Amino acid sequence: MSYSQLDRPVQFLKGVGPKRAEAFPKLGITTARDLLYHLPRRYDDASTVEPIGRLEVGMDGSAIGRVRSKGVIPTRRGLRIFQAVLEDDSGIITVAWPGQPWLDRKLRKGDVLLVTGKVRFFHGRQIQPREFTVLERASSAGPAEQAGIDRAEPGLVFVTYPATEELPQWVLRGIFEKNLDALLGWADDDEYLSDEVRARLDLPGLGEALTLLHRPADIRDPERGRRRLAFDELLFLQLVQARARRHATEMEPGIAHERTNELVRPLHEALPFELTGAQARALREIYSDMQSERRMNRMLQGDVGSGKTAVAVFAMLLAVEGGRQAALMAPTEILAEQHARGIRELVEPIDVDVRLLTGRLGARERREALEALASGSAPIVVGTHALIQEGVEYDALGLVVVDEQHRFGVKQRMALLERDDARPDVLVMSATPIPRSLAMALYGDLDISVLDEMPPGRTPVVTAVRDPDAREAVHAFIREQVREGRQAYVVYPLVDESEKIDLLSAKQEYERLRAGPLADVRVGLLHGQLAGEEKDRVMRAFAAGAIDVLVATTVIEVGIDVPNATVMVIEHAERFGLSQLHQLRGRVGRGRAAGHCILVADPGEDARERLEVFRSTTDGFEIAAADLRIRGQGDLFGSRQHGKDAMLRFADLMVDDDLLIVAQRDARALVTRDPELERPEHARIRAHLSARYRDRLALYGVG
Ligand code: ADP
Ligand code: MG
């Protein structure tokens, strides 16, 4: 790309200089472009800024005025209050900052402030600002000859930038005043969208978008500008993922599985149930991928119990009837064993061999299993990740299914695709329902099938929220269920008691329950600090019914499937995210008997409202959407979600899903047309991608 002025270091801009340049990196700014993309964090509509004379007691408003006098006022109770008197052409008002005497050193007579807050009556009209900004700095010479305040022209909007101690608001404003014309003039150097594409999406050009954000004429302008930057961000992320997708699926041919219906049809006829509409749809998508030469890299998303395993079994049979082998990997050995049992049951009528390969096999059994895989005499194998990691050889591996894929990161997912002996199709299953937009953003390199329909005849789990002082009744309920032959979980957020937080912990409560309320039943303890073998032993004992009540931390979220367990008690439920609660609730109600989920939570907090959302629905997608709304997308992208490093700085997945869909489609089409982005018209995109998205490209192994 031709060199742009925007690539110049920020210190060459007017009013910056070497000293201030040192303060910029803290704001994530090193180049002129960074400064241009340093956008206001707040907009105040000038039409809501009142002339000071018109501020009335009781009003919640904003005002702009010059500091006429100021000082610290001590009170009888030792509190020191900083006060300033602001004036404009229409009048004066007192502004008070209790407990902030240090502001006296920060603010000068003659400074112009924007203050926002409630007007009260206290020796006259007074504002205690929620927020304030120094719009203009008095010269150090003092306020002697101040011109009138440059008050809002009609339609003007005041902007407030993210600032720091070293680069306060008024300094930033000064720097923008001197440079913004030039910066905005260079903005279109980066433009990579054609007029036609922009018109189609109704998005402004870069220069215009940034003008709308820095110098809005109307309070609605910034949103229009933001949408443009949001689209850019989504498009570039999707480009990274589209390249990963191409790398995984198209660069070299995969397997075109042959469908003979030799196994798939008999299984359909033998199944004791009809597939749900969602299962049938997912299978059509999977079959179509598998039969094509293009390698499949697909995610099957669906709540616990939505029938993912059944879908996976059909996919595996398609591979087998076409002469290949299929492997299913579970996150734990116990789950692998359970899967093997369940799959054997399903395919029993059509007589297909299902091998189990885990660390528990004896040496001889293991050798036999490995030989069967290498010779091709074992068509289906179930195990843990060891199945593909430890040099297990296959005669003709055609499909790999990964269960509970959310436990594995992008890296592991990519490693899975890097076998050099074969290019098996890949189906990853996830029981963590997430809104479609989030799935597209996180897993843009995959194709996605969703099971959004539950098989009929399931009794939904009944959920109740209880106060801590109802615990006795909860324990009585557990005892009653155990008497009826059922089992229960009691989950705590902590392993050990902590001095700092007054929470019940698994270890201590295990001792207490065992000695008291649950003395007459068999209680077990499970948490992440136990040695692997011990964990395994406890889970097996619970699965076998040798333990009635399992006291645990969230380690049970994945890794165990016990249809006889009917009660899930979650202590300090307010501590858990909704999606996590949903995973825990999914552990019960898996058998014929009705399931009960009891949330024990302190009353009177916001949390109760959250828990009420959870109580009122069992739809995982609805819960995930609520979680996204409540917690925000930041949490869901992990830790690097702040400032310039944030994966999504401008886009909001809850509102920009329309842009996301277009971004994914366009990105995929672009990578198909011009995989290396070599065409001259794509030069800017390529430059931007390698300059800004190097880390992400490397993460996906396509750097
Ligand atoms: P998941 O893997 O999504 O948690 P499973 O595939 O294990 O769900 O299915 C849960 C239970 O529902 C199993 O007992 C399975 O046999 C049964 N099942 C699956 N699909 C259907 C269906 N279409 N109708 C009735 N029962 C089904
Ligand atoms: Mg499952």
Side-chain angles (χ1 to χ4, degrees):
M1 182 170 76
S2 60
Y3 180 81
S4 163
Q5 295 288 341
L6 291 175
D7 292 314
R8 286 161 65 90
V10 72
Q11 80 197 59
F12 295 114
L13 294 176
K14 286 181 204 150
V16 177
K19 177 124 179 296
R20 274 183 182 158
E22 272 172 39
F24 271 104
K26 217 173 173 184
L27 284 169
I29 298 169
T30 49
T31 65
R33 183 181 289 101
D34 295 336
L35 184 65
L36 178 58
Y37 280 80
H38 186 70
L39 299 170
R41 63 175 170 82
R42 187 180 142 187
Y43 295 92
D44 285 280
D45 191 344
S47 66
T48 70
V49 176
E50 292 289 331
I52 287 175
R54 268 202 253 136
L55 288 171
E56 281 169 30
V57 173
M59 212 177 198
D60 203 354
S62 297
I64 292 173
R66 196 178 291 285
V67 177
R68 176 175 146 145
S69 62
K70 57 160 195 142
V72 175
I73 299 171
T75 64
R76 248 175 306 163
R77 299 176 59 202
L79 181 70
R80 296 169 74 213
I81 301 176
F82 174 67
Q83 274 196 359
V85 174
L86 289 194
E87 89 179 320
D88 69 4
D89 298 342
S90 69
I92 62 168
I93 190 165
T94 312
V95 188
W97 286 267
Q100 299 182 56
W102 47 270
L103 277 176
D104 194 30
R105 292 191 306 275
K106 297 259 157 194
L107 298 179
R108 294 184 191 152
K109 232 163 124 173
D111 285 352
V112 176
L113 308 187
L114 166 65
V115 296
T116 301
K118 193 151 181 130
V119 183
R120 12 173 261 160
F121 188 84
F122 192 77
H123 304 298
R125 293 175 310 150
Q126 187 189 78
I127 290 186
Q128 285 188 11
R130 274 194 305 278
E131 280 221 58
F132 80 98
T133 302
V134 182
L135 292 181
E136 204 182 299
R137 194 70 163 147
S139 71
S140 40
E145 308 284 312
Q146 297 292 355
I149 295 160
D150 184 17
R151 252 197 56 85
E153 296 157 28
L156 208 69
V157 176
F158 287 100
V159 299
T160 309
Y161 290 96
T164 61
E165 181 92 4
E166 297 82 32
L167 286 170
Q169 197 59 225
W170 57 274
V171 171
L172 280 172
R173 294 174 69 88
I175 290 169
F176 273 118
E177 232 158 73
K178 292 193 187 77
N179 296 285
L180 198 54
D181 285 333
L183 290 170
L184 288 170
W186 299 325
D188 282 321
D189 291 359
D190 285 350
E191 186 58 83
Y192 65 92
L193 286 180
S194 65
D195 294 349
E196 172 226 314
V197 173
R198 278 196 281 112
R200 168 162 64 85
L201 300 173
D202 188 27
L203 292 174
L206 281 176
E208 189 190 341
L210 288 158
T211 306
L212 292 168
L213 283 155
H214 281 289
R215 288 181 173 155
D218 184 286
I219 197 72
R220 284 168 306 228
D221 283 354
E223 171 59 13
R224 227 177 102 65
R226 186 200 65 81
R227 290 260 300 171
R228 166 63 211 256
L229 301 192
F231 179 75
D232 291 355
E233 195 166 66
L234 294 169
L235 182 76
F236 280 103
L237 270 180
Q238 288 296 324
L239 273 174
V240 171
Q241 292 171 325
R243 288 181 70 150
R245 179 171 178 266
R246 188 184 117 78
H247 183 76
T249 62
E250 284 167 9
M251 296 250 282
E252 290 167 50
I255 301 162
H257 292 269
E258 193 188 339
R259 181 167 177 180
T260 65
N261 278 328
E262 243 169 286
L263 296 173
V264 164
R265 181 157 311 140
L267 182 65
H268 264 294
E269 281 157 10
L271 268 192
F273 49 75
E274 292 283 315
L275 293 181
T276 64
Q279 282 173 314
R281 196 177 344 108
L283 269 179
R284 275 198 300 278
E285 291 163 351
I286 290 166
Y287 287 165
S288 149
D289 277 2
M290 288 181 68
Q291 288 173 267
S292 99
E293 260 231 334
R294 191 178 167 282
R295 182 196 216 173
M296 174 166 77
N297 191 22
R298 184 171 284 277
M299 171 184 276
L300 178 61
Q301 232 203 30
D303 232 328
V304 171
S306 59
K308 294 184 294 298
T309 312
V311 170
V313 167
F314 276 104
M316 292 196 280
L317 290 179
L318 181 72
V320 173
E321 69 181 22
R324 312 273 171 168
Q325 293 164 290
L328 185 144
M329 304 190 305
T332 65
E333 297 216 326
I334 296 181
L335 270 184
E337 288 164 26
Q338 289 179 332
H339 264 307
R341 220 175 299 136
I343 293 170
R344 277 184 190 134
E345 221 167 275
L346 274 178
V347 301
E348 205 233 32
I350 58 170
D351 195 25
V352 173
D353 182 32
V354 176
R355 289 281 167 145
L356 176 66
L357 186 63
T358 70
R360 280 169 47 95
L361 291 188
R364 203 179 48 112
E365 291 168 303
R366 180 176 171 81
R367 202 177 53 242
E368 267 176 24
L370 288 175
E371 276 167 15
L373 291 177
S375 73
S377 69
I380 292 180
V381 62
V382 178
T384 62
H385 266 231
L387 277 188
I388 56 147
Q389 282 163 350
E390 283 165 20
V392 179
E393 277 183 39
Y394 295 84
D395 175 45
L397 184 59
L399 172 68
V400 175
V401 180
V402 187
D403 192 20
E404 305 286 4
Q405 82 80 39
H406 68 278
R407 304 229 311 169
F408 310 102
V410 172
K411 274 211 172 102
Q412 285 100 320
R413 200 142 51 68
M414 291 299 135
L416 178 64
L417 298 164
E418 295 297 323
R419 292 183 65 90
D420 40 21
D421 56 334
R423 288 175 53 80
D425 281 338
V426 174
L427 180 68
V428 299
M429 305 200 288
S430 170
T432 314
I434 51 177
R436 184 142 197 118
S437 58
L438 189 59
M440 283 176 76
L442 288 175
Y443 306 114
D445 58 318
L446 301 171
D447 296 299
I448 299 175
S449 296
V450 180
L451 298 184
D452 52 5
E453 189 184 343
M454 282 290 186
R458 202 70 51 86
T459 341
V461 176
V462 177
T463 305
V465 184
R466 294 279 177 263
D467 288 348
D469 51 19
R471 252 186 216 117
E472 251 173 64
V474 173
H475 295 150
F477 180 69
I478 292 176
R479 288 196 302 268
E480 186 189 306
Q481 289 279 307
V482 171
R483 261 198 305 280
E484 286 174 22
R486 306 291 173 204
Q487 290 163 280
Y489 302 92
V490 184
V491 177
Y492 296 89
L494 295 178
V495 179
D496 260 314
E497 213 161 279
S498 141
E499 285 180 15
K500 285 194 210 104
I501 324 170
D502 182 25
L503 292 178
L504 300 177
S505 71
K507 270 190 193 166
Q508 277 71 23
E509 285 305 289
Y510 164 72
E511 297 299 344
R512 205 182 60 78
L513 291 173
R514 213 158 61 120
L518 299 178
D520 47 355
V521 306
R522 296 164 299 173
V523 186
L525 173 65
L526 185 69
H527 57 74
Q529 289 175 11
L530 292 178
E533 256 169 55
E534 176 64 4
K535 238 187 277 179
D536 211 52
R537 194 191 60 73
V538 174
M539 284 203 265
R540 277 175 209 287
F542 188 66
I547 290 173
D548 301 310
V549 178
L550 190 58
V551 173
T553 58
T554 51
V555 291
I556 59 156
E557 210 182 292
V558 283
I560 196 163
D561 186 358
V562 181
N564 189 49
T566 53
V567 186
M568 168 64 69
V569 176
I570 304 171
E571 291 275 357
H572 291 291
E574 74 277 0
R575 293 251 144 195
F576 296 86
L578 293 187
S579 297
Q580 202 174 20
L581 289 176
H582 183 67
Q583 288 294 318
L584 290 169
R585 182 165 60 183
R587 298 292 110 197
V588 295
R590 298 167 80 85
R592 252 176 287 278
H596 305 270
C597 178
I598 304 169
L599 309 176
V600 182
D602 277 324
E605 298 192 28
D606 300 352
R608 284 303 274 262
E609 202 181 311
R610 240 163 30 91
L611 297 180
E612 186 49 35
V613 172
F614 177 73
R615 198 196 58 75
S616 64
T617 178
T618 53
D619 181 332
F621 289 98
E622 213 175 291
I623 287 166
D627 215 15
L628 182 59
R629 225 172 18 245
I630 294 166
R631 288 199 297 162
Q633 62 194 20
D635 262 29
L636 299 153
F637 286 104
S639 51
R640 288 188 64 192
Q641 186 55 29
H642 299 289
K644 200 176 124 191
D645 285 339
M647 182 165 136
L648 294 178
R649 225 177 123 194
F650 308 115
D652 178 344
L653 294 175
M654 294 301 280
V655 300
D656 298 326
D657 45 349
D658 56 332
L659 293 179
L660 180 55
I661 289 167
V662 176
Q664 181 169 93
R665 205 190 49 213
D666 285 8
R668 288 181 174 184
L670 186 64
V671 167
T672 304
R673 270 201 321 274
D674 182 12
E676 297 304 319
L677 303 173
E678 286 160 335
R679 295 194 199 164
E681 68 267 32
H682 298 147
R684 277 182 183 167
I685 298 185
R686 195 179 56 185
H688 190 68
L689 202 58
S690 53
R692 289 236 169 159
Y693 290 86
R694 187 167 297 145
D695 289 355
R696 289 204 75 77
L697 286 166
L699 176 65
Y700 284 93
V702 290

